Amino acid sequence: MSKDVESTTQSLLVQLRVLEAYYEDLVARESLLSQALLENKAALTAVSSLPKNHEMEIVVHIGGGLHIPVIFKPERKLVVRLGAGIAIEKSKEDTVNFLSKRIEEIEKALQEVIAQRNETLKRISVIRDELNKLIKQK
């Protein structure tokens, strides 16, 4: 094998390893975004189904597989976590709007990650084809 072919092969192998690692990262990000999307859609459904003008007993998850019954009062505000340990109170309507916007942002980010993943997969395929051609030239 000539030095040029060997050098090209080594370069393609390095590129392939980097792209494969990037692809795995994109798959992990896609999974996280999909989970966040499902969680936010479930929250939106739950908040939207809360009564507008009468109290209702609901069960709230408090972690560790524990739930407690509470009385939801429509005049009370909901606590919305913004991130970085910050939470604010919002009305039901503001919470619905907030969740809807968050869902849109997550969907947009998910589409971008999927596009990047698909482009990376195409590039991986091209490099593998190039490597196979070089190996056959031996």
Side-chain angles (χ1 to χ4, degrees), residues 21-34:
Y22 181 59
Y23 179 82
E24 289 175 17
D25 180 59
L26 289 170
V27 169
R29 279 195 259 171
E30 180 182 356
S31 176
L32 289 173
L33 287 168
S34 294

Side-chain angles (χ1 to χ4, degrees), residues 64-75:
L66 300 173
H67 298 78
I68 57 172
V70 298
I71 302 294
F72 172 75
K73 297 178 181 182
E75 67 274 3

Side-chain angles (χ1 to χ4, degrees), residues 46-71:
V47 169
S48 297
S49 67
L50 292 172
K52 292 181 182 178
N53 50 12
H54 67 279
E55 293 181 358
M56 176 182 185
E57 184 173 347
I58 58 175
V59 178
V60 177
H61 177 74
I62 59 171
L66 300 173
H67 298 78
I68 57 172
V70 298
I71 302 294

